[in-house]
Amino acid sequence: TSTAVCSVNSFIGECWTEKFNVSFNGFGTEGAACMGQALAANRTLLELDLSKNRITNIDVILLATQMKSNDTLQVLKVLDCV
């Protein structure tokens, strides 16, 4: 749901963790948008796994566009999404 995704967004935007796995969570376009916003602000996350969610190719492009200012993320996994 949007509340859960935005909570994750808030967590990623403010967290100090280096790896975050949210695979198999079932989120799609709205989740990808929130993740992109969070990644734009995050400066510590090195690896994010979004695999096995309902993220489309267009969602991945949106995510990449939103996180252009992020220069710390090294690994972004989006395997086996819709």
Side-chain angles (χ1 to χ4, degrees):
T1 68
S2 61
T3 304
V5 170
C6 288
S7 294
V8 168
N9 179 349
S10 186
F11 174 76
I12 291 176
E14 299 173 8
C15 76
W16 294 96
T17 190
E18 292 182 351
K19 293 184 180 182
F20 193 54
N21 184 333
V22 288
S23 60
F24 294 94
N25 278 283
F27 63 83
T29 300
E30 187 177 353
C34 283
M35 290 292 176
Q37 292 170 3
L39 289 171
N42 183 281
R43 297 291 175 256
T44 59
L45 195 63
L46 302 177
E47 184 175 321
L48 176 63
D49 189 350
L50 301 174
S51 299
K52 303 283 186 169
N53 284 294
R54 295 184 314 247
I55 300 171
T56 66
N57 290 342
I58 293 171
D59 297 332
V60 172
I61 292 169
L62 174 64
L63 178 70
T65 301
Q66 289 179 314
M67 57 178 274
K68 283 183 359 184
S69 64
N70 181 304
D71 57 359
T72 55
L73 190 69
Q74 298 172 2
V75 177
L76 175 62
K77 296 179 184 178
V78 287
L79 304 170
D80 296 324
C81 292
V82 175

Coordinates of all heavy atoms in Angstrom, one line a residue:
T1 N 0.8 -1.2 0.0 CA 0.0 0.0 0.0 C 0.9 1.2 0.0 O 2.1 1.2 0.3 CB -0.9 0.0 1.2 OG1 -0.1 0.2 2.4 CG2 -1.8 -1.2 1.3
S2 N 0.3 2.4 -0.3 CA 1.1 3.6 -0.4 C 1.6 4.0 1.0 O 2.7 4.6 1.0 CB 0.2 4.7 -0.9 OG -0.9 5.0 -0.1
T3 N 0.9 3.7 2.1 CA 1.5 4.1 3.4 C 2.7 3.3 3.7 O 3.7 3.8 4.1 CB 0.4 3.8 4.5 OG1 -0.8 4.5 4.1 CG2 0.9 4.2 5.8
A4 N 2.7 2.0 3.4 CA 3.9 1.2 3.6 C 5.1 1.6 2.8 O 6.2 1.7 3.2 CB 3.6 -0.3 3.3
V5 N 4.8 1.9 1.5 CA 5.9 2.3 0.6 C 6.4 3.6 1.0 O 7.6 3.8 1.0 CB 5.4 2.4 -0.9 CG1 6.4 3.1 -1.8 CG2 5.0 1.0 -1.4
C6 N 5.6 4.6 1.4 CA 6.1 5.9 1.9 C 6.9 5.8 3.2 O 7.8 6.5 3.4 CB 5.0 6.9 2.0 SG 4.4 7.4 0.3
S7 N 6.5 4.8 4.0 CA 7.3 4.5 5.2 C 8.7 4.0 4.8 O 9.7 4.4 5.4 CB 6.6 3.5 6.1 OG 5.4 4.0 6.6
V8 N 8.8 3.2 3.9 CA 10.0 2.7 3.4 C 10.8 3.8 2.8 O 12.0 4.0 3.0 CB 9.9 1.5 2.3 CG1 11.2 1.2 1.6 CG2 9.3 0.3 3.0
N9 N 10.1 4.7 2.0 CA 10.7 5.9 1.4 C 11.4 6.7 2.5 O 12.5 7.2 2.4 CB 9.7 6.7 0.7 CG 10.2 8.0 0.1 OD1 11.3 8.4 0.3 ND2 9.4 8.6 -0.7
S10 N 10.7 7.0 3.6 CA 11.2 7.7 4.7 C 12.4 7.0 5.3 O 13.4 7.7 5.6 CB 10.1 7.9 5.8 OG 10.5 8.8 6.8
F11 N 12.3 5.7 5.5 CA 13.4 5.0 6.0 C 14.7 5.1 5.2 O 15.8 5.4 5.7 CB 13.0 3.5 6.2 CG 14.2 2.6 6.6 CD1 14.6 2.6 7.9 CD2 14.8 1.8 5.7 CE1 15.6 1.8 8.3 CE2 15.9 1.0 6.1 CZ 16.3 1.0 7.4
I12 N 14.5 4.9 3.9 CA 15.7 4.9 3.0 C 16.3 6.3 2.9 O 17.5 6.5 2.9 CB 15.3 4.5 1.5 CG1 15.1 3.0 1.5 CG2 16.4 4.8 0.6 CD1 14.6 2.5 0.2
G13 N 15.4 7.3 2.9 CA 15.9 8.7 2.9 C 16.7 9.1 4.1 O 17.6 10.0 4.0
E14 N 16.5 8.5 5.2 CA 17.1 8.9 6.5 C 18.1 7.8 7.1 O 18.7 8.0 8.1 CB 16.1 9.2 7.5 CG 15.2 10.3 7.1 CD 14.0 10.6 8.1 OE1 14.0 9.9 9.1 OE2 13.1 11.4 7.7
C15 N 18.1 6.6 6.4 CA 18.9 5.5 7.1 C 20.4 5.6 6.8 O 20.8 6.3 5.9 CB 18.3 4.2 6.6 SG 18.8 3.8 4.9
W16 N 21.1 4.8 7.6 CA 22.5 4.7 7.5 C 23.0 3.4 7.0 O 24.2 3.1 6.9 CB 23.2 5.0 8.8 CG 23.0 6.4 9.2 CD1 22.0 6.9 10.1 CD2 23.7 7.6 8.8 NE1 22.1 8.3 10.2 CE2 23.2 8.7 9.4 CE3 24.8 7.8 7.9 CZ2 23.6 10.0 9.2 CZ3 25.3 9.1 7.7 CH2 24.7 10.1 8.4
T17 N 22.0 2.5 6.7 CA 22.4 1.2 6.2 C 23.0 1.2 4.8 O 22.8 2.1 4.1 CB 21.1 0.2 6.2 OG1 21.5 -1.1 6.0 CG2 20.1 0.6 5.2
E18 N 23.8 0.2 4.5 CA 24.4 0.1 3.2 C 23.7 -0.8 2.3 O 23.9 -0.7 1.0 CB 25.9 -0.3 3.4 CG 26.7 0.8 4.1 CD 28.2 0.4 4.2 OE1 28.5 -0.7 3.9 OE2 28.9 1.3 4.6
K19 N 23.0 -1.8 2.8 CA 22.2 -2.8 1.9 C 20.8 -2.8 2.4 O 20.5 -2.9 3.6 CB 22.9 -4.1 2.0 CG 24.2 -4.2 1.4 CD 24.8 -5.6 1.4 CE 26.2 -5.7 0.8 NZ 26.7 -7.1 0.8
F20 N 19.9 -2.8 1.4 CA 18.5 -2.9 1.7 C 17.8 -3.8 0.7 O 17.9 -3.6 -0.5 CB 17.9 -1.5 1.7 CG 16.5 -1.3 2.3 CD1 16.3 -1.8 3.6 CD2 15.5 -0.8 1.6 CE1 15.0 -1.6 4.1 CE2 14.2 -0.6 2.1 CZ 14.0 -1.0 3.4
N21 N 17.1 -4.8 1.2 CA 16.4 -5.8 0.3 C 14.9 -5.7 0.5 O 14.4 -6.0 1.6 CB 16.9 -7.2 0.7 CG 16.3 -8.2 -0.3 OD1 15.3 -8.1 -0.8 ND2 17.1 -9.3 -0.4
V22 N 14.2 -5.2 -0.5 CA 12.8 -5.2 -0.5 C 12.2 -6.0 -1.6 O 11.1 -5.7 -2.2 CB 12.2 -3.7 -0.5 CG1 12.5 -3.0 0.8 CG2 12.8 -2.9 -1.7
S23 N 12.9 -7.1 -2.0 CA 12.4 -8.0 -3.0 C 11.2 -8.7 -2.5 O 10.9 -8.8 -1.3 CB 13.5 -9.0 -3.4 OG 13.9 -9.7 -2.3
F24 N 10.4 -9.2 -3.4 CA 9.2 -10.0 -3.1 C 8.1 -9.2 -2.3 O 7.4 -9.8 -1.5 CB 9.5 -11.3 -2.4 CG 10.3 -12.3 -3.2 CD1 11.7 -12.3 -3.1 CD2 9.7 -13.2 -4.0 CE1 12.4 -13.2 -3.9 CE2 10.4 -14.1 -4.8 CZ 11.8 -14.1 -4.7
N25 N 8.1 -7.9 -2.4 CA 7.1 -7.1 -1.7 C 5.9 -6.7 -2.4 O 4.9 -6.1 -1.9 CB 7.8 -5.9 -1.1 CG 8.5 -6.2 0.2 OD1 7.9 -6.3 1.2 ND2 9.8 -6.4 0.1
G26 N 5.8 -7.0 -3.7 CA 4.6 -6.7 -4.5 C 4.3 -5.3 -4.9 O 3.2 -5.0 -5.4
F27 N 5.2 -4.4 -4.7 CA 4.9 -3.0 -5.1 C 5.2 -2.8 -6.5 O 6.0 -3.5 -7.1 CB 5.5 -2.0 -4.1 CG 7.0 -2.0 -4.1 CD1 7.7 -1.3 -5.1 CD2 7.8 -2.6 -3.2 CE1 9.1 -1.2 -5.1 CE2 9.1 -2.6 -3.1 CZ 9.8 -1.9 -4.1
G28 N 4.6 -1.7 -7.1 CA 4.8 -1.4 -8.5 C 5.1 0.0 -8.8 O 6.1 0.5 -8.2
T29 N 4.3 0.7 -9.6 CA 4.7 2.0 -10.0 C 4.8 3.0 -8.9 O 5.8 3.8 -8.8 CB 3.6 2.5 -11.0 OG1 3.6 1.6 -12.1 CG2 3.9 3.9 -11.5
E30 N 3.9 3.0 -8.0 CA 3.9 3.9 -6.8 C 5.1 3.7 -6.0 O 5.8 4.6 -5.5 CB 2.6 3.8 -6.0 CG 2.5 4.9 -4.9 CD 1.2 4.8 -4.1 OE1 0.3 4.0 -4.5 OE2 1.1 5.5 -3.1
G31 N 5.4 2.4 -5.7 CA 6.6 2.0 -4.9 C 7.9 2.5 -5.6 O 8.8 3.0 -4.9
A32 N 8.0 2.3 -6.9 CA 9.2 2.7 -7.7 C 9.4 4.2 -7.6 O 10.5 4.7 -7.4 CB 9.1 2.2 -9.1
A33 N 8.3 4.9 -7.6 CA 8.3 6.4 -7.6 C 8.8 6.8 -6.2 O 9.7 7.7 -6.1 CB 7.0 7.0 -7.8
C34 N 8.3 6.2 -5.1 CA 8.8 6.5 -3.8 C 10.2 6.2 -3.6 O 11.0 6.9 -2.9 CB 7.9 5.8 -2.7 SG 6.3 6.6 -2.5
M35 N 10.6 5.0 -4.1 CA 12.0 4.6 -4.0 C 12.9 5.6 -4.7 O 14.0 5.9 -4.2 CB 12.2 3.2 -4.6 CG 11.6 2.1 -3.8 SD 12.4 1.9 -2.2 CE 11.4 0.6 -1.6
G36 N 12.5 6.0 -5.8 CA 13.3 7.0 -6.6 C 13.5 8.3 -5.8 O 14.6 8.9 -5.7
Q37 N 12.5 8.8 -5.2 CA 12.5 10.0 -4.4 C 13.5 9.8 -3.2 O 14.3 10.6 -2.8 CB 11.2 10.4 -3.9 CG 10.2 10.8 -5.0 CD 8.8 11.0 -4.5 OE1 8.5 10.8 -3.3 NE2 7.9 11.3 -5.4
A38 N 13.4 8.6 -2.5 CA 14.2 8.3 -1.4 C 15.7 8.2 -1.8 O 16.6 8.7 -1.1 CB 13.7 7.0 -0.7
L39 N 15.9 7.6 -2.9 CA 17.3 7.4 -3.4 C 18.0 8.7 -3.7 O 19.2 8.9 -3.6 CB 17.4 6.4 -4.5 CG 17.1 5.0 -4.1 CD1 16.9 4.1 -5.4 CD2 18.2 4.4 -3.2
A40 N 17.2 9.6 -4.2 CA 17.7 10.9 -4.6 C 18.3 11.6 -3.3 O 19.3 12.4 -3.4 CB 16.6 11.8 -5.2
A41 N 17.7 11.4 -2.2 CA 18.2 12.0 -0.9 C 19.2 11.2 -0.1 O 19.9 11.7 0.7 CB 16.9 12.3 0.0
N42 N 19.3 9.9 -0.4 CA 20.1 9.0 0.4 C 21.6 9.1 0.0 O 21.9 9.1 -1.2 CB 19.6 7.6 0.3 CG 20.4 6.7 1.2 OD1 21.5 6.3 0.8 ND2 19.9 6.3 2.3
R43 N 22.5 9.1 1.0 CA 23.9 9.2 0.7 C 24.7 8.1 1.3 O 25.9 8.1 1.3 CB 24.5 10.6 1.2 CG 23.9 11.8 0.5 CD 24.4 11.8 -1.0 NE 23.7 12.9 -1.7 CZ 22.7 12.7 -2.6 NH1 22.3 11.5 -2.8 NH2 22.2 13.8 -3.2
T44 N 24.0 7.0 1.8 CA 24.7 5.9 2.4 C 24.4 4.6 1.8 O 25.3 3.7 1.9 CB 24.4 5.9 3.9 OG1 23.0 5.7 4.1 CG2 24.9 7.1 4.7
L45 N 23.3 4.4 1.2 CA 22.9 3.1 0.6 C 23.8 2.7 -0.5 O 23.9 3.5 -1.5 CB 21.4 3.1 0.2 CG 20.8 1.8 0.0 CD1 20.7 1.0 1.2 CD2 19.4 2.0 -0.6
L46 N 24.4 1.5 -0.5 CA 25.3 1.1 -1.6 C 24.6 0.0 -2.4 O 24.9 -0.1 -3.6 CB 26.5 0.5 -1.0 CG 27.4 1.4 -0.1 CD1 28.6 0.6 0.5 CD2 27.9 2.6 -0.9
E47 N 23.6 -0.7 -1.9 CA 23.0 -1.8 -2.6 C 21.5 -1.9 -2.3 O 21.1 -1.8 -1.1 CB 23.6 -3.1 -2.3 CG 23.1 -4.3 -3.1 CD 23.9 -5.6 -2.8 OE1 25.1 -5.5 -2.6 OE2 23.2 -6.6 -2.7
L48 N 20.7 -1.9 -3.3 CA 19.2 -2.0 -3.2 C 18.7 -3.1 -4.1 O 19.0 -3.1 -5.3 CB 18.6 -0.7 -3.5 CG 17.0 -0.6 -3.5 CD1 16.5 -0.9 -2.1 CD2 16.5 0.7 -4.0
D49 N 17.9 -4.0 -3.5 CA 17.3 -5.1 -4.2 C 15.8 -4.9 -4.3 O 15.1 -5.0 -3.3 CB 17.6 -6.5 -3.6 CG 17.2 -7.7 -4.4 OD1 16.5 -7.5 -5.4 OD2 17.6 -8.8 -4.1
L50 N 15.3 -4.6 -5.5 CA 13.9 -4.5 -5.8 C 13.3 -5.6 -6.6 O 12.2 -5.5 -7.2 CB 13.7 -3.1 -6.6 CG 14.1 -1.9 -5.9 CD1 14.0 -0.7 -6.9 CD2 13.4 -1.6 -4.7
S51 N 14.0 -6.7 -6.7 CA 13.7 -7.9 -7.5 C 12.3 -8.4 -7.1 O 11.9 -8.3 -5.9 CB 14.7 -8.9 -7.4 OG 16.0 -8.5 -7.9
K52 N 11.7 -9.1 -8.1 CA 10.4 -9.8 -7.9 C 9.3 -8.9 -7.4 O 8.5 -9.4 -6.6 CB 10.6 -11.0 -6.9 CG 11.7 -12.0 -7.3 CD 11.2 -12.9 -8.3 CE 12.2 -14.0 -8.6 NZ 11.8 -15.1 -9.4
N53 N 9.2 -7.7 -7.8 CA 8.1 -6.8 -7.5 C 7.4 -6.5 -8.8 O 7.7 -7.1 -9.9 CB 8.6 -5.5 -6.9 CG 9.0 -5.7 -5.4 OD1 8.2 -5.9 -4.6 ND2 10.3 -5.6 -5.1
R54 N 6.3 -5.7 -8.8 CA 5.6 -5.4 -10.0 C 6.0 -4.1 -10.6 O 5.3 -3.2 -10.9 CB 4.1 -5.4 -9.6 CG 3.5 -6.7 -9.2 CD 2.0 -6.6 -8.9 NE 1.6 -5.5 -8.1 CZ 1.1 -5.5 -6.9 NH1 1.0 -6.6 -6.3 NH2 0.8 -4.4 -6.3
I55 N 7.3 -4.1 -10.9 CA 7.9 -2.9 -11.5 C 8.1 -3.1 -13.0 O 8.7 -4.1 -13.3 CB 9.3 -2.6 -10.8 CG1 9.1 -2.3 -9.3 CG2 10.0 -1.4 -11.4 CD1 10.4 -2.3 -8.5
T56 N 7.6 -2.2 -13.8 CA 7.7 -2.3 -15.2 C 9.0 -1.6 -15.7 O 9.7 -0.9 -15.0 CB 6.5 -1.7 -15.9 OG1 6.5 -0.3 -15.7 CG2 5.2 -2.3 -15.4
N57 N 9.3 -1.8 -17.0 CA 10.4 -1.1 -17.6 C 10.3 0.4 -17.5 O 11.3 1.1 -17.2 CB 10.6 -1.5 -19.1 CG 11.0 -2.9 -19.3 OD1 11.6 -3.5 -18.3 ND2 10.8 -3.5 -20.4
I58 N 9.1 0.9 -17.7 CA 8.8 2.4 -17.5 C 9.1 2.8 -16.1 O 9.7 3.9 -15.9 CB 7.4 2.7 -18.0 CG1 7.3 2.5 -19.5 CG2 7.0 4.1 -17.6 CD1 5.9 2.6 -20.0
D59 N 8.7 2.0 -15.1 CA 9.0 2.3 -13.7 C 10.5 2.4 -13.4 O 11.0 3.2 -12.7 CB 8.4 1.2 -12.8 CG 6.8 1.2 -12.9 OD1 6.2 2.2 -13.2 OD2 6.3 0.1 -12.6
V60 N 11.3 1.5 -14.0 CA 12.7 1.5 -13.9 C 13.3 2.7 -14.5 O 14.2 3.4 -13.9 CB 13.3 0.2 -14.5 CG1 14.9 0.3 -14.4 CG2 12.9 -1.0 -13.7
I61 N 12.8 3.2 -15.6 CA 13.3 4.4 -16.2 C 13.0 5.6 -15.3 O 13.8 6.5 -15.1 CB 12.7 4.6 -17.6 CG1 13.3 3.5 -18.6 CG2 13.0 6.0 -18.2 CD1 12.6 3.4 -19.9
L62 N 11.8 5.6 -14.8 CA 11.4 6.7 -13.8 C 12.3 6.7 -12.6 O 12.8 7.7 -12.2 CB 9.9 6.5 -13.4 CG 9.4 7.5 -12.3 CD1 9.4 8.9 -12.8 CD2 8.0 7.1 -12.0
L63 N 12.5 5.5 -12.1 CA 13.4 5.4 -10.9 C 14.8 5.9 -11.2 O 15.3 6.7 -10.4 CB 13.4 3.9 -10.5 CG 14.3 3.5 -9.3 CD1 13.7 4.0 -8.0 CD2 14.5 2.0 -9.3
A64 N 15.3 5.5 -12.3 CA 16.7 6.0 -12.7 C 16.7 7.5 -12.9 O 17.7 8.1 -12.5 CB 17.1 5.3 -14.0
T65 N 15.7 8.0 -13.5 CA 15.6 9.5 -13.7 C 15.6 10.2 -12.3 O 16.3 11.2 -12.1 CB 14.4 9.9 -14.5 OG1 14.5 9.2 -15.7 CG2 14.3 11.4 -14.7
Q66 N 14.8 9.7 -11.4 CA 14.7 10.4 -10.1 C 15.9 10.3 -9.3 O 16.2 11.1 -8.4 CB 13.5 9.7 -9.3 CG 12.2 10.1 -9.9 CD 11.1 9.5 -9.1 OE1 11.1 8.3 -8.8 NE2 10.0 10.2 -8.7
M67 N 16.7 9.2 -9.5 CA 17.9 9.0 -8.6 C 19.2 9.5 -9.3 O 20.3 9.2 -8.8 CB 18.0 7.6 -8.2 CG 18.1 6.6 -9.3 SD 18.2 4.9 -8.7 CE 20.0 4.8 -8.5
K68 N 19.1 10.3 -10.3 CA 20.3 10.8 -11.0 C 21.3 11.5 -10.1 O 22.5 11.5 -10.3 CB 19.9 11.7 -12.2 CG 19.4 10.9 -13.4 CD 19.1 11.6 -14.6 CE 19.1 13.1 -14.8 NZ 18.6 13.5 -16.1
S69 N 20.8 12.1 -9.0 CA 21.6 12.9 -8.1 C 22.3 12.0 -7.1 O 23.2 12.4 -6.4 CB 20.8 14.0 -7.4 OG 19.8 13.4 -6.6
N70 N 21.9 10.7 -7.0 CA 22.5 9.8 -6.1 C 23.9 9.3 -6.7 O 23.9 8.6 -7.7 CB 21.6 8.6 -5.8 CG 22.2 7.6 -4.8 OD1 23.3 7.1 -5.0 ND2 21.4 7.4 -3.8
D71 N 24.9 9.5 -6.0 CA 26.3 9.1 -6.4 C 26.9 8.0 -5.5 O 28.0 7.7 -5.6 CB 27.2 10.3 -6.6 CG 27.4 11.1 -5.3 OD1 26.8 10.7 -4.3 OD2 28.2 12.0 -5.4
T72 N 26.1 7.4 -4.6 CA 26.6 6.4 -3.7 C 26.1 5.0 -4.1 O 26.8 4.0 -3.8 CB 26.2 6.7 -2.3 OG1 24.8 6.9 -2.2 CG2 27.0 8.0 -1.8
L73 N 24.9 4.9 -4.6 CA 24.4 3.5 -4.9 C 25.2 2.9 -6.0 O 25.4 3.4 -7.0 CB 22.9 3.6 -5.4 CG 22.2 2.3 -5.5 CD1 21.9 1.7 -4.1 CD2 20.9 2.5 -6.2
Q74 N 25.7 1.7 -5.6 CA 26.5 0.9 -6.6 C 25.8 -0.2 -7.2 O 26.2 -0.6 -8.3 CB 27.8 0.4 -5.8 CG 28.6 1.5 -5.3 CD 29.7 1.0 -4.4 OE1 29.9 -0.2 -4.2 NE2 30.5 1.9 -3.8
V75 N 24.8 -0.8 -6.5 CA 24.1 -2.0 -7.0 C 22.6 -1.8 -6.9 O 22.1 -1.5 -5.8 CB 24.5 -3.3 -6.3 CG1 23.7 -4.5 -6.8 CG2 26.0 -3.6 -6.4
L76 N 21.9 -1.9 -8.0 CA 20.5 -1.8 -8.0 C 20.0 -3.1 -8.7 O 20.2 -3.3 -9.9 CB 20.0 -0.6 -8.8 CG 18.5 -0.4 -8.9 CD1 17.8 -0.4 -7.6 CD2 18.2 0.8 -9.8
K77 N 19.3 -4.0 -8.0 CA 18.8 -5.2 -8.6 C 17.3 -5.1 -8.8 O 16.5 -4.7 -7.9 CB 19.0 -6.4 -7.6 CG 20.5 -6.7 -7.3 CD 20.6 -7.8 -6.4 CE 22.1 -8.0 -6.0 NZ 22.2 -9.1 -5.0
V78 N 16.9 -5.4 -10.1 CA 15.5 -5.3 -10.5 C 15.2 -6.6 -11.3 O 14.6 -6.5 -12.3 CB 15.1 -4.0 -11.2 CG1 15.0 -2.9 -10.3 CG2 16.1 -3.8 -12.3
L79 N 15.6 -7.7 -10.8 CA 15.5 -9.0 -11.5 C 14.1 -9.6 -11.4 O 13.4 -9.4 -10.4 CB 16.5 -10.0 -10.9 CG 17.9 -9.6 -10.9 CD1 18.7 -10.6 -10.1 CD2 18.5 -9.5 -12.3
D80 N 13.6 -10.2 -12.5 CA 12.3 -10.9 -12.6 C 11.2 -10.0 -12.1 O 10.3 -10.5 -11.4 CB 12.4 -12.1 -11.8 CG 13.4 -13.1 -12.3 OD1 13.5 -13.2 -13.5 OD2 14.0 -13.8 -11.5
C81 N 11.1 -8.8 -12.5 CA 10.0 -7.9 -12.3 C 9.0 -8.1 -13.4 O 9.3 -8.7 -14.5 CB 10.4 -6.5 -12.1 SG 11.3 -6.2 -10.6
V82 N 7.8 -7.6 -13.3 CA 6.8 -7.7 -14.4 C 7.3 -7.1 -15.7 O 7.9 -6.2 -15.8 CB 5.5 -7.0 -13.9 CG1 4.5 -7.0 -15.0 CG2 4.9 -7.7 -12.7

